[in-house]
């Protein structure tokens, strides 16, 4: 309770502060303790006891306790920010795990020289191609992948041929950087040969041979290059491009 010397009346502190917030939640407010003030001193003891037990006063006390124990605005904002960051991190980790699974499938198919795509990749097709077939097989035993395929965003399934090609290109870049690291400061020889593929396109296969620090020789396949012509200048230009990709020069090349 609080007492006003000017009006010679008493008020209920918690009901006056939280009366509007608690209005309609339970019980009825007594204007004598909220707005007009209480001054019937003969019945003060009984009135105070009755007011203390009423639902409205109890509700206001609970509102006061909640106000005292609640976090400040800055703390609430920090909590909200932390919750948002945590949710984003969970999404990032889930997407990273998904990409890792897709990359493993791509790596397996590349190592085996297997075709990725089928003639009909629709949902009802029985021959979607090895990539999609393997992904759906894994999804049978992986709840997160299965949820992604069923309820994930349709504009970010990561199953398109574009994503497949991007994963292949990313793996190529990683392998290229590793090969570059092994060839730093080393003398090399180039082994190259051209042949036509099943589509009658001329392809130039390029292999780099180099010596390890222990003297053992190593050969690494660095790629196929499409040839539009098979004359000497075109082949030389492609070999120059291969050396450029590996940060090598002709000065490091012993022979071709």
């Amino acid at each position: 309770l609080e007492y006003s010397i000017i009006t010679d009346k008493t008020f209920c502190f918690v009901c006056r502060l939280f009366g509007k917030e608690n209005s309609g939640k339970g019980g009825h407010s007594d204007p004598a303790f909220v707005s007009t003030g209480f001054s019937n001193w003969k019945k003060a003891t009984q009135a105070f006891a009755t007011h203390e037990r009423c639902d409205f006063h109890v509700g206001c006390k609970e509102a006061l306790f909640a106000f005292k124990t609640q976090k400040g605005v800055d703390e609430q904002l920090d909590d909200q920010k932390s919750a948002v960051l945590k949710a984003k991190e969970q999404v990032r980790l889930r997407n990273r795990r998904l990409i890792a699974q897709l990359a493993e499938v791509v790596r397996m198919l590349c190592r085996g020289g297997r075709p990725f795509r089928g003639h009909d990749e629709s949902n009802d097709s029985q021959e979607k191609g090895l990539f999609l077939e393997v992904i759906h097989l894994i999804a049978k035993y992986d709840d997160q992948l299965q949820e992604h395929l069923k309820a994930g965003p349709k504009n970010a399934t990561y199953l398109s041929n574009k994503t497949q090609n991007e994963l292949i290109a990313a793996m190529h870049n990683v392998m290229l950087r590793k090969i570059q690291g092994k060839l730093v400061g080393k003398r090399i020889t180039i082994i190259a040969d051209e042949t036509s593929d099943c589509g009658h396109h001329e392809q130039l296969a390029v292999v780099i041979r180099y010596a390890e620090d222990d003297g053992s020789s190593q050969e690494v396949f660095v790629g196929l290059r499409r040839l539009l012509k098979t004359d000497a200048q075109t082949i030389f230009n492609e070999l120059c491009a291969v050396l450029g990709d590996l940060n090598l020069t002709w000065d490091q090349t012993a022979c071709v």
Side-chain angles (χ1 to χ4, degrees), residues 101-102 104-106 108-109 114-142 145-146 149 158-160 164:
Q101 290 176 314
L102 300 182
E104 283 298 316
V105 175
V106 169
M108 178 196 70
L109 296 178
R114 303 298 182 183
F116 278 59
R117 307 189 66 191
H119 296 293
D120 182 5
E121 297 182 350
S122 62
N123 292 330
D124 299 331
S125 174
Q126 298 298 319
E127 297 182 2
K128 299 182 179 67
L130 285 176
F131 180 79
L132 292 180
E133 292 291 350
V134 173
I135 291 298
H136 283 88
L137 176 62
I138 296 174
K140 289 183 178 180
Y141 307 97
D142 190 298
L145 180 56
Q146 190 174 65
L149 296 178
Y158 306 117
L159 301 179
S160 67
Q164 296 170 30

Side-chain angles (χ1 to χ4, degrees), residues 3 25 56 105 126 128 212 228 250 254:
Y3 174 72
K25 294 184 179 180
F56 183 80
V105 175
Q126 298 298 319
K128 299 182 179 67
E212 293 281 9
L228 299 180
W250 284 107

